[in-house]
Amino acid sequence: MGQILVFSEQRDGKLKRVAFEALGAARQLASQTNATVAAIIVGKNIASEAETLSKKGADKVFVIDDPGFAHYSSEAYGTIIADIAKKEDTSLILMGATAMGKDLGPKVAAKLGGPFAGDCIKLECDAEGKITATRPMYGGKIISIVRSHTNKYQVATLRPNVFSVNEADENKKTVFENIDTLPDLSEMKAVVKEILSSANTKIDLTEADIIVSGGRGLKAPEHFALIEALAETLGAAVGASRAAVDAGWKPHSYQVGLTGKTVSPSLYIACGISGAIQHQAGMSSSKYIVAINKDPNAPIFKIANYGIVGDLFEIVPLLTEAIKTIKNEE
Amino acid sequence: MNIAVCIKQVPATESKIRPSADGKDIDRTGLSFVVNPYDEFGLEEALKIKEQVGKGTVTVISIGEDKTIEALRTCLAVGADQAIHIKDPALSGSDTHAIALVLTAALQKENYDIIFFGKQAIDNDSGAVGIHVAELMNLPHVAVINKLEVSPDDKKAVAHRQIEGGTEVINIDLPAIFTCQKELNVPRYASLPGIMKAKQKPMTIYSLNDLNIATDAVGAEKAMITLDQLSPPEKRTAGTALEGNAGEAVTALVRLLHEEAKIF
Ligand SMILES: Cc1cc2nc3c(=O)[nH]c(=O)nc-3n(C[C@H](O)[C@H](O)[C@H](O)COP(=O)(O)OP(=O)(O)OC[C@H]3O[C@@H](n4cnc5c(N)ncnc54)[C@H](O)[C@@H]3O)c2cc1C
Ligand SMILES: Nc1ncnc2c1ncn2[C@@H]1O[C@H](COP(=O)(O)O)[C@@H](O)[C@H]1O
């Protein structure tokens, strides 16, 4: 098997967890096939993050530390990765299935003429390095196994929160690699002008380990304060059903489900959400699901690990207090 | 302003989807099919821009079997001016590459200022074709847009796309490709006069030969990646219902989250 490249996503100079997850997956495949793992990091003021990549499993690290590349550009980042891939025999390119990865993965596959598998939840390869990927389709109603027929330039994006991260090897010396030429930014026809940060969450939904979501059962936008208080106590992100979003209680970026975000946190707490099939499409791969709903026949209870039939206006504040107490004891 | 919208026909979102007996495909019996919901946002945006500019045409394009013509007719009824249906037995089993190749050939027959795609087709959930076509056509793109403003001279646009914790605002030169996300607009429905008018609108049918693509350049044989096995997701079963009054239920829940799920 040729080398495995890991595109290590960072925002504001900090690597995302999913970069380490991709590195973990790469290391695992490499150990079966004797492949080398090279990481790529692009951004501004990121040199120290390169060392972290090395400690977490990269045999070498390509660093593009340049203010011109601070913002994401499909064309520029795509060209950098494709150029690096072509320098050596490259079998596989991995990255997270984030907003960036979902754009960059197909771009790189198209540039290199390789196969693409998006949003993978499991990845294996044969002795030659041809991958077999497990990925949900039809909004999670089907789990598919796709098989690549080439071991050259395969591109896969990995669903966040699914793959495990390697232990760091603190003694490892970082091997830096250089890039000969960078794409000419003046030729880019699509340029990020600015990034508007949403007042929204400190923790993004797709990356959150715990999510507390509210639905139509909240009855009014101000009652999301209950959800937010519980989320705050748990260090969780806040989500919403489509009914809550369509009512204008929360922006679409909060929506979980078929036409919103797909999440797989360790814990998903659904409050006043019936659990329609389209909502389930976005959250049914959560490790633990808790449902709080006053209707014992709500479909959400059919998939919840723990269910409380009751009034969320009573239950949620009690739960917040109980968790606060436990956390204070620890 | 000439705008193309690439659309795919997919099973309706509320469909129950099951694997076929051999596990190589889904069981299509009894399914109803619709225009991929994300492609509808593309069509709506195209119609809006055409109305704003006051001139131009909106062309919908789809690759698919005979049945696909229904999806194209729906788009004509909603307001598209013409449709292109690409069908060829050799296309069966094609991967993203082949689909992108064929769409590119069809798109290059005309000059389009903007080409819309859905952010993903809700059958394979891949999200690759639009970006792939952009690369093949050497056009800039913005994927997963939820807002678009075209400059009055039709030469530039500003697109918004959602990222984790924010929105990227992107300046882009036209011609360009956009893949559409919910929130971009609210798609209109077909009106009765629209449905009547659709019957008179042009529907062009292309085979691979019409597009100068060799039949062995596409299809299952050429696919670099193929579906091997489909299965239903692991079924989640109802877990523990926590009984008692609110206080007791919450106490039980916190204990389970702590001891069993080990969340905190
Ligand atoms: C094409 C398509 C795409 C869709 N995409 C999505 C999607 O991405 N995400 C999504 O969420 N939905 C989506 N939907 C909508 C989906 O079908 C449901 O309509 C929606 O999920 C319902 O939201 P809800 O559960 O908040 O509201 P409801 O179904 O109205 O449920 C509200 C629940 O709150 C409970 N409740 C009320 N008061 C209380 C109280 N005091 N205490 C406790 N419980 C209470 C009720 O018992 C009820 O179960 C989509 C639909 C379509 C057709
Ligand atoms: N067979 C097809 N015909 C026309 N457009 C397609 C086809 N398949 C995919 N597309 C377009 O590409 C988008 C993304 O599809 P996918 O990459 O398959 O998720 C869809 O939303 C459509 O706009």
Side-chain angles (χ1 to χ4, degrees), chain B residues 5-9 36 38-39 61-64 96 99 103 116-130:
Chain B
V5 186
C6 292
I7 64 132
K8 187 177 190 186
Q9 194 182 38
N36 181 41
Y38 294 111
D39 305 351
I61 306 180
S62 190
I63 304 174
T96 300
I99 296 295
L103 285 175
F116 286 114
F117 290 80
K119 78 155 181 162
Q120 72 195 63
I122 61 156
D123 51 3
N124 60 35
D125 287 338
S126 182
V129 171

PDB file of all heavy atoms in Angstrom, chain B residues 5-9 36 38-39 61-64 96 99 103 116-130, ligand 2:
ATOM      1  N   VAL B   5     -29.951  23.547 -13.847  1.00  0.00           N
ATOM      2  CA  VAL B   5     -30.156  22.913 -12.542  1.00  0.00           C
ATOM      3  C   VAL B   5     -30.084  21.405 -12.756  1.00  0.00           C
ATOM      4  O   VAL B   5     -30.862  20.852 -13.538  1.00  0.00           O
ATOM      5  CB  VAL B   5     -31.533  23.271 -11.949  1.00  0.00           C
ATOM      6  CG1 VAL B   5     -31.655  22.730 -10.529  1.00  0.00           C
ATOM      7  CG2 VAL B   5     -31.777  24.775 -11.972  1.00  0.00           C
ATOM      8  N   CYS B   6     -29.129  20.766 -12.104  1.00  0.00           N
ATOM      9  CA  CYS B   6     -29.014  19.306 -12.225  1.00  0.00           C
ATOM     10  C   CYS B   6     -29.869  18.671 -11.148  1.00  0.00           C
ATOM     11  O   CYS B   6     -29.731  18.998  -9.960  1.00  0.00           O
ATOM     12  CB  CYS B   6     -27.563  18.864 -12.070  1.00  0.00           C
ATOM     13  SG  CYS B   6     -26.572  19.418 -13.456  1.00  0.00           S
ATOM     14  N   ILE B   7     -30.750  17.811 -11.564  1.00  0.00           N
ATOM     15  CA  ILE B   7     -31.668  17.212 -10.597  1.00  0.00           C
ATOM     16  C   ILE B   7     -31.628  15.689 -10.683  1.00  0.00           C
ATOM     17  O   ILE B   7     -31.353  15.109 -11.726  1.00  0.00           O
ATOM     18  CB  ILE B   7     -33.127  17.701 -10.819  1.00  0.00           C
ATOM     19  CG1 ILE B   7     -33.658  17.233 -12.181  1.00  0.00           C
ATOM     20  CG2 ILE B   7     -33.235  19.207 -10.721  1.00  0.00           C
ATOM     21  CD1 ILE B   7     -35.021  16.630 -12.066  1.00  0.00           C
ATOM     22  N   LYS B   8     -31.906  15.076  -9.572  1.00  0.00           N
ATOM     23  CA  LYS B   8     -31.945  13.615  -9.536  1.00  0.00           C
ATOM     24  C   LYS B   8     -33.298  13.175  -9.001  1.00  0.00           C
ATOM     25  O   LYS B   8     -33.845  13.823  -8.101  1.00  0.00           O
ATOM     26  CB  LYS B   8     -30.828  13.092  -8.629  1.00  0.00           C
ATOM     27  CG  LYS B   8     -30.688  11.584  -8.673  1.00  0.00           C
ATOM     28  CD  LYS B   8     -29.540  11.085  -7.822  1.00  0.00           C
ATOM     29  CE  LYS B   8     -29.290   9.602  -8.079  1.00  0.00           C
ATOM     30  NZ  LYS B   8     -28.272   9.051  -7.177  1.00  0.00           N
ATOM     31  N   GLN B   9     -33.799  12.097  -9.544  1.00  0.00           N
ATOM     32  CA  GLN B   9     -35.035  11.529  -9.015  1.00  0.00           C
ATOM     33  C   GLN B   9     -34.672  10.525  -7.909  1.00  0.00           C
ATOM     34  O   GLN B   9     -33.824   9.656  -8.118  1.00  0.00           O
ATOM     35  CB  GLN B   9     -35.803  10.826 -10.123  1.00  0.00           C
ATOM     36  CG  GLN B   9     -37.230  10.509  -9.733  1.00  0.00           C
ATOM     37  CD  GLN B   9     -37.959   9.757 -10.832  1.00  0.00           C
ATOM     38  OE1 GLN B   9     -37.377   8.900 -11.496  1.00  0.00           O
ATOM     39  NE2 GLN B   9     -39.223  10.058 -11.022  1.00  0.00           N
ATOM     40  N   ASN B  36     -35.159  15.227  -5.905  1.00  0.00           N
ATOM     41  CA  ASN B  36     -34.324  15.348  -4.720  1.00  0.00           C
ATOM     42  C   ASN B  36     -34.565  16.706  -4.038  1.00  0.00           C
ATOM     43  O   ASN B  36     -34.428  17.746  -4.681  1.00  0.00           O
ATOM     44  CB  ASN B  36     -32.854  15.206  -5.159  1.00  0.00           C
ATOM     45  CG  ASN B  36     -31.884  15.291  -4.003  1.00  0.00           C
ATOM     46  OD1 ASN B  36     -32.137  14.728  -2.938  1.00  0.00           O
ATOM     47  ND2 ASN B  36     -30.792  15.990  -4.210  1.00  0.00           N
ATOM     48  N   TYR B  38     -33.018  18.765  -2.143  1.00  0.00           N
ATOM     49  CA  TYR B  38     -31.996  19.816  -2.232  1.00  0.00           C
ATOM     50  C   TYR B  38     -31.911  20.400  -3.643  1.00  0.00           C
ATOM     51  O   TYR B  38     -31.492  21.549  -3.816  1.00  0.00           O
ATOM     52  CB  TYR B  38     -30.632  19.279  -1.789  1.00  0.00           C
ATOM     53  CG  TYR B  38     -30.616  18.921  -0.324  1.00  0.00           C
ATOM     54  CD1 TYR B  38     -30.528  17.593   0.090  1.00  0.00           C
ATOM     55  CD2 TYR B  38     -30.721  19.908   0.644  1.00  0.00           C
ATOM     56  CE1 TYR B  38     -30.540  17.265   1.434  1.00  0.00           C
ATOM     57  CE2 TYR B  38     -30.740  19.590   1.991  1.00  0.00           C
ATOM     58  CZ  TYR B  38     -30.639  18.263   2.384  1.00  0.00           C
ATOM     59  OH  TYR B  38     -30.656  17.949   3.710  1.00  0.00           O
ATOM     60  N   ASP B  39     -32.313  19.611  -4.639  1.00  0.00           N
ATOM     61  CA  ASP B  39     -32.297  20.123  -6.014  1.00  0.00           C
ATOM     62  C   ASP B  39     -33.437  21.120  -6.209  1.00  0.00           C
ATOM     63  O   ASP B  39     -33.338  22.031  -7.022  1.00  0.00           O
ATOM     64  CB  ASP B  39     -32.424  18.967  -7.018  1.00  0.00           C
ATOM     65  CG  ASP B  39     -31.350  17.905  -6.801  1.00  0.00           C
ATOM     66  OD1 ASP B  39     -30.428  18.159  -5.998  1.00  0.00           O
ATOM     67  OD2 ASP B  39     -31.433  16.830  -7.420  1.00  0.00           O
ATOM     68  N   ILE B  61     -31.638  19.379 -15.887  1.00  0.00           N
ATOM     69  CA  ILE B  61     -30.935  18.258 -16.522  1.00  0.00           C
ATOM     70  C   ILE B  61     -30.915  17.077 -15.561  1.00  0.00           C
ATOM     71  O   ILE B  61     -30.621  17.239 -14.378  1.00  0.00           O
ATOM     72  CB  ILE B  61     -29.478  18.644 -16.850  1.00  0.00           C
ATOM     73  CG1 ILE B  61     -29.447  19.919 -17.694  1.00  0.00           C
ATOM     74  CG2 ILE B  61     -28.756  17.501 -17.553  1.00  0.00           C
ATOM     75  CD1 ILE B  61     -28.057  20.384 -18.067  1.00  0.00           C
ATOM     76  N   SER B  62     -31.221  15.909 -16.076  1.00  0.00           N
ATOM     77  CA  SER B  62     -31.132  14.738 -15.214  1.00  0.00           C
ATOM     78  C   SER B  62     -30.667  13.511 -15.980  1.00  0.00           C
ATOM     79  O   SER B  62     -31.043  13.289 -17.133  1.00  0.00           O
ATOM     80  CB  SER B  62     -32.487  14.439 -14.564  1.00  0.00           C
ATOM     81  OG  SER B  62     -32.311  13.459 -13.562  1.00  0.00           O
ATOM     82  N   ILE B  63     -29.853  12.714 -15.300  1.00  0.00           N
ATOM     83  CA  ILE B  63     -29.479  11.399 -15.816  1.00  0.00           C
ATOM     84  C   ILE B  63     -30.322  10.381 -15.071  1.00  0.00           C
ATOM     85  O   ILE B  63     -30.350  10.404 -13.832  1.00  0.00           O
ATOM     86  CB  ILE B  63     -28.000  11.075 -15.530  1.00  0.00           C
ATOM     87  CG1 ILE B  63     -27.096  12.156 -16.110  1.00  0.00           C
ATOM     88  CG2 ILE B  63     -27.634   9.695 -16.062  1.00  0.00           C
ATOM     89  CD1 ILE B  63     -25.633  11.971 -15.735  1.00  0.00           C
ATOM     90  N   GLY B  64     -30.971   9.512 -15.798  1.00  0.00           N
ATOM     91  CA  GLY B  64     -31.740   8.486 -15.109  1.00  0.00           C
ATOM     92  C   GLY B  64     -32.542   7.665 -16.095  1.00  0.00           C
ATOM     93  O   GLY B  64     -32.593   7.976 -17.286  1.00  0.00           O
ATOM     94  N   THR B  96     -19.819   8.221  -9.163  1.00  0.00           N
ATOM     95  CA  THR B  96     -19.817   9.685  -9.212  1.00  0.00           C
ATOM     96  C   THR B  96     -19.033  10.218 -10.408  1.00  0.00           C
ATOM     97  O   THR B  96     -19.440  11.168 -11.069  1.00  0.00           O
ATOM     98  CB  THR B  96     -19.169  10.237  -7.924  1.00  0.00           C
ATOM     99  OG1 THR B  96     -19.923   9.784  -6.831  1.00  0.00           O
ATOM    100  CG2 THR B  96     -19.144  11.740  -7.914  1.00  0.00           C
ATOM    101  N   ILE B  99     -21.049   9.892 -13.621  1.00  0.00           N
ATOM    102  CA  ILE B  99     -22.180  10.821 -13.619  1.00  0.00           C
ATOM    103  C   ILE B  99     -21.678  12.248 -13.868  1.00  0.00           C
ATOM    104  O   ILE B  99     -22.235  12.991 -14.678  1.00  0.00           O
ATOM    105  CB  ILE B  99     -22.953  10.749 -12.272  1.00  0.00           C
ATOM    106  CG1 ILE B  99     -23.591   9.361 -12.086  1.00  0.00           C
ATOM    107  CG2 ILE B  99     -24.013  11.839 -12.167  1.00  0.00           C
ATOM    108  CD1 ILE B  99     -24.677   9.012 -13.090  1.00  0.00           C
ATOM    109  N   LEU B 103     -22.695  14.577 -17.075  1.00  0.00           N
ATOM    110  CA  LEU B 103     -23.329  15.880 -16.849  1.00  0.00           C
ATOM    111  C   LEU B 103     -22.464  16.991 -17.446  1.00  0.00           C
ATOM    112  O   LEU B 103     -22.971  17.930 -18.058  1.00  0.00           O
ATOM    113  CB  LEU B 103     -23.551  16.127 -15.345  1.00  0.00           C
ATOM    114  CG  LEU B 103     -24.696  15.339 -14.707  1.00  0.00           C
ATOM    115  CD1 LEU B 103     -24.727  15.575 -13.191  1.00  0.00           C
ATOM    116  CD2 LEU B 103     -26.050  15.726 -15.319  1.00  0.00           C
ATOM    117  N   PHE B 116     -26.686  24.972 -10.830  1.00  0.00           N
ATOM    118  CA  PHE B 116     -27.046  24.564  -9.466  1.00  0.00           C
ATOM    119  C   PHE B 116     -27.089  23.044  -9.345  1.00  0.00           C
ATOM    120  O   PHE B 116     -27.538  22.345 -10.264  1.00  0.00           O
ATOM    121  CB  PHE B 116     -28.432  25.100  -9.090  1.00  0.00           C
ATOM    122  CG  PHE B 116     -28.460  26.576  -8.801  1.00  0.00           C
ATOM    123  CD1 PHE B 116     -29.150  27.445  -9.636  1.00  0.00           C
ATOM    124  CD2 PHE B 116     -27.802  27.095  -7.691  1.00  0.00           C
ATOM    125  CE1 PHE B 116     -29.193  28.812  -9.366  1.00  0.00           C
ATOM    126  CE2 PHE B 116     -27.845  28.454  -7.416  1.00  0.00           C
ATOM    127  CZ  PHE B 116     -28.535  29.316  -8.255  1.00  0.00           C
ATOM    128  N   PHE B 117     -26.676  22.564  -8.182  1.00  0.00           N
ATOM    129  CA  PHE B 117     -26.821  21.160  -7.791  1.00  0.00           C
ATOM    130  C   PHE B 117     -27.433  21.145  -6.393  1.00  0.00           C
ATOM    131  O   PHE B 117     -27.419  22.154  -5.703  1.00  0.00           O
ATOM    132  CB  PHE B 117     -25.451  20.462  -7.709  1.00  0.00           C
ATOM    133  CG  PHE B 117     -24.793  20.253  -9.036  1.00  0.00           C
ATOM    134  CD1 PHE B 117     -24.115  21.274  -9.670  1.00  0.00           C
ATOM    135  CD2 PHE B 117     -24.844  19.011  -9.659  1.00  0.00           C
ATOM    136  CE1 PHE B 117     -23.506  21.083 -10.898  1.00  0.00           C
ATOM    137  CE2 PHE B 117     -24.240  18.811 -10.887  1.00  0.00           C
ATOM    138  CZ  PHE B 117     -23.567  19.843 -11.514  1.00  0.00           C
ATOM    139  N   GLY B 118     -27.880  19.980  -5.962  1.00  0.00           N
ATOM    140  CA  GLY B 118     -28.240  19.827  -4.570  1.00  0.00           C
ATOM    141  C   GLY B 118     -26.978  19.599  -3.758  1.00  0.00           C
ATOM    142  O   GLY B 118     -25.957  19.181  -4.295  1.00  0.00           O
ATOM    143  N   LYS B 119     -27.017  19.887  -2.459  1.00  0.00           N
ATOM    144  CA  LYS B 119     -25.816  19.624  -1.643  1.00  0.00           C
ATOM    145  C   LYS B 119     -25.540  18.128  -1.581  1.00  0.00           C
ATOM    146  O   LYS B 119     -24.414  17.689  -1.441  1.00  0.00           O
ATOM    147  CB  LYS B 119     -25.935  20.227  -0.242  1.00  0.00           C
ATOM    148  CG  LYS B 119     -26.790  19.442   0.706  1.00  0.00           C
ATOM    149  CD  LYS B 119     -26.407  19.692   2.171  1.00  0.00           C
ATOM    150  CE  LYS B 119     -27.315  18.834   3.018  1.00  0.00           C
ATOM    151  NZ  LYS B 119     -26.886  18.593   4.365  1.00  0.00           N
ATOM    152  N   GLN B 120     -26.591  17.324  -1.693  1.00  0.00           N
ATOM    153  CA  GLN B 120     -26.412  15.876  -1.798  1.00  0.00           C
ATOM    154  C   GLN B 120     -27.710  15.267  -2.288  1.00  0.00           C
ATOM    155  O   GLN B 120     -28.775  15.853  -2.146  1.00  0.00           O
ATOM    156  CB  GLN B 120     -26.013  15.249  -0.464  1.00  0.00           C
ATOM    157  CG  GLN B 120     -27.121  15.197   0.573  1.00  0.00           C
ATOM    158  CD  GLN B 120     -26.571  14.902   1.960  1.00  0.00           C
ATOM    159  OE1 GLN B 120     -25.798  15.692   2.507  1.00  0.00           O
ATOM    160  NE2 GLN B 120     -26.954  13.786   2.533  1.00  0.00           N
ATOM    161  N   ALA B 121     -27.594  14.095  -2.915  1.00  0.00           N
ATOM    162  CA  ALA B 121     -28.786  13.347  -3.295  1.00  0.00           C
ATOM    163  C   ALA B 121     -29.169  12.515  -2.079  1.00  0.00           C
ATOM    164  O   ALA B 121     -28.303  11.868  -1.485  1.00  0.00           O
ATOM    165  CB  ALA B 121     -28.486  12.457  -4.492  1.00  0.00           C
ATOM    166  N   ILE B 122     -30.437  12.533  -1.709  1.00  0.00           N
ATOM    167  CA  ILE B 122     -30.809  11.881  -0.442  1.00  0.00           C
ATOM    168  C   ILE B 122     -30.943  10.366  -0.575  1.00  0.00           C
ATOM    169  O   ILE B 122     -31.369   9.708   0.359  1.00  0.00           O
ATOM    170  CB  ILE B 122     -32.097  12.475   0.172  1.00  0.00           C
ATOM    171  CG1 ILE B 122     -33.281  12.286  -0.766  1.00  0.00           C
ATOM    172  CG2 ILE B 122     -31.902  13.931   0.536  1.00  0.00           C
ATOM    173  CD1 ILE B 122     -34.607  12.309  -0.043  1.00  0.00           C
ATOM    174  N   ASP B 123     -30.549   9.809  -1.724  1.00  0.00           N
ATOM    175  CA  ASP B 123     -30.469   8.339  -1.792  1.00  0.00           C
ATOM    176  C   ASP B 123     -29.076   7.873  -1.369  1.00  0.00           C
ATOM    177  O   ASP B 123     -28.918   7.220  -0.350  1.00  0.00           O
ATOM    178  CB  ASP B 123     -30.891   7.801  -3.167  1.00  0.00           C
ATOM    179  CG  ASP B 123     -30.194   8.482  -4.335  1.00  0.00           C
ATOM    180  OD1 ASP B 123     -29.323   9.342  -4.101  1.00  0.00           O
ATOM    181  OD2 ASP B 123     -30.532   8.146  -5.483  1.00  0.00           O
ATOM    182  N   ASN B 124     -28.057   8.289  -2.115  1.00  0.00           N
ATOM    183  CA  ASN B 124     -26.710   7.830  -1.723  1.00  0.00           C
ATOM    184  C   ASN B 124     -26.047   8.742  -0.700  1.00  0.00           C
ATOM    185  O   ASN B 124     -24.989   8.398  -0.164  1.00  0.00           O
ATOM    186  CB  ASN B 124     -25.827   7.652  -2.959  1.00  0.00           C
ATOM    187  CG  ASN B 124     -25.666   8.946  -3.721  1.00  0.00           C
ATOM    188  OD1 ASN B 124     -25.616  10.021  -3.128  1.00  0.00           O
ATOM    189  ND2 ASN B 124     -25.589   8.869  -5.028  1.00  0.00           N
ATOM    190  N   ASP B 125     -26.626   9.921  -0.446  1.00  0.00           N
ATOM    191  CA  ASP B 125     -26.053  10.866   0.529  1.00  0.00           C
ATOM    192  C   ASP B 125     -24.575  11.157   0.297  1.00  0.00           C
ATOM    193  O   ASP B 125     -23.806  11.282   1.252  1.00  0.00           O
ATOM    194  CB  ASP B 125     -26.221  10.332   1.968  1.00  0.00           C
ATOM    195  CG  ASP B 125     -27.654  10.433   2.451  1.00  0.00           C
ATOM    196  OD1 ASP B 125     -28.409  11.251   1.900  1.00  0.00           O
ATOM    197  OD2 ASP B 125     -28.015   9.684   3.385  1.00  0.00           O
ATOM    198  N   SER B 126     -24.200  11.268  -0.969  1.00  0.00           N
ATOM    199  CA  SER B 126     -22.781  11.363  -1.264  1.00  0.00           C
ATOM    200  C   SER B 126     -22.266  12.809  -1.256  1.00  0.00           C
ATOM    201  O   SER B 126     -21.221  13.106  -0.678  1.00  0.00           O
ATOM    202  CB  SER B 126     -22.535  10.692  -2.602  1.00  0.00           C
ATOM    203  OG  SER B 126     -21.196  10.717  -2.915  1.00  0.00           O
ATOM    204  N   GLY B 127     -22.990  13.696  -1.896  1.00  0.00           N
ATOM    205  CA  GLY B 127     -22.577  15.106  -1.885  1.00  0.00           C
ATOM    206  C   GLY B 127     -21.340  15.386  -2.699  1.00  0.00           C
ATOM    207  O   GLY B 127     -20.523  16.230  -2.320  1.00  0.00           O
ATOM    208  N   ALA B 128     -21.177  14.684  -3.804  1.00  0.00           N
ATOM    209  CA  ALA B 128     -19.930  14.800  -4.557  1.00  0.00           C
ATOM    210  C   ALA B 128     -20.096  15.317  -5.981  1.00  0.00           C
ATOM    211  O   ALA B 128     -19.188  15.954  -6.514  1.00  0.00           O
ATOM    212  CB  ALA B 128     -19.231  13.441  -4.585  1.00  0.00           C
ATOM    213  N   VAL B 129     -21.244  15.053  -6.598  1.00  0.00           N
ATOM    214  CA  VAL B 129     -21.355  15.276  -8.044  1.00  0.00           C
ATOM    215  C   VAL B 129     -21.131  16.739  -8.444  1.00  0.00           C
ATOM    216  O   VAL B 129     -20.378  17.035  -9.372  1.00  0.00           O
ATOM    217  CB  VAL B 129     -22.718  14.761  -8.583  1.00  0.00           C
ATOM    218  CG1 VAL B 129     -22.937  15.192 -10.022  1.00  0.00           C
ATOM    219  CG2 VAL B 129     -22.770  13.239  -8.491  1.00  0.00           C
ATOM    220  N   GLY B 130     -21.758  17.681  -7.732  1.00  0.00           N
ATOM    221  CA  GLY B 130     -21.618  19.095  -8.102  1.00  0.00           C
ATOM    222  C   GLY B 130     -20.179  19.567  -8.039  1.00  0.00           C
ATOM    223  O   GLY B 130     -19.684  20.246  -8.947  1.00  0.00           O
TER     224      GLY B 130
HETATM  225  N1  LIG C   2     -28.276  11.242 -12.050  1.00  0.00           N
HETATM  226  C1  LIG C   2     -28.180  12.561 -11.839  1.00  0.00           C
HETATM  227  N2  LIG C   2     -28.689  13.430 -12.750  1.00  0.00           N
HETATM  228  C2  LIG C   2     -28.607  14.774 -12.561  1.00  0.00           C
HETATM  229  N3  LIG C   2     -28.055  15.317 -11.477  1.00  0.00           N
HETATM  230  C3  LIG C   2     -27.542  14.512 -10.538  1.00  0.00           C
HETATM  231  C4  LIG C   2     -27.571  13.091 -10.675  1.00  0.00           C
HETATM  232  N4  LIG C   2     -26.994  12.554  -9.570  1.00  0.00           N
HETATM  233  C5  LIG C   2     -26.636  13.583  -8.793  1.00  0.00           C
HETATM  234  N5  LIG C   2     -26.958  14.765  -9.367  1.00  0.00           N
HETATM  235  C6  LIG C   2     -26.763  16.133  -8.812  1.00  0.00           C
HETATM  236  O1  LIG C   2     -25.685  16.110  -7.908  1.00  0.00           O
HETATM  237  C7  LIG C   2     -26.135  16.436  -6.588  1.00  0.00           C
HETATM  238  C8  LIG C   2     -25.343  15.661  -5.567  1.00  0.00           C
HETATM  239  O2  LIG C   2     -25.510  14.275  -5.758  1.00  0.00           O
HETATM  240  P1  LIG C   2     -24.623  13.193  -5.000  1.00  0.00           P
HETATM  241  O3  LIG C   2     -23.191  13.587  -5.179  1.00  0.00           O
HETATM  242  O4  LIG C   2     -24.965  11.905  -5.658  1.00  0.00           O
HETATM  243  O5  LIG C   2     -25.046  13.247  -3.562  1.00  0.00           O
HETATM  244  C9  LIG C   2     -27.625  16.158  -6.613  1.00  0.00           C
HETATM  245  O6  LIG C   2     -28.293  16.923  -5.634  1.00  0.00           O
HETATM  246  C10 LIG C   2     -27.976  16.584  -8.033  1.00  0.00           C
HETATM  247  O7  LIG C   2     -28.049  17.998  -8.134  1.00  0.00           O
END
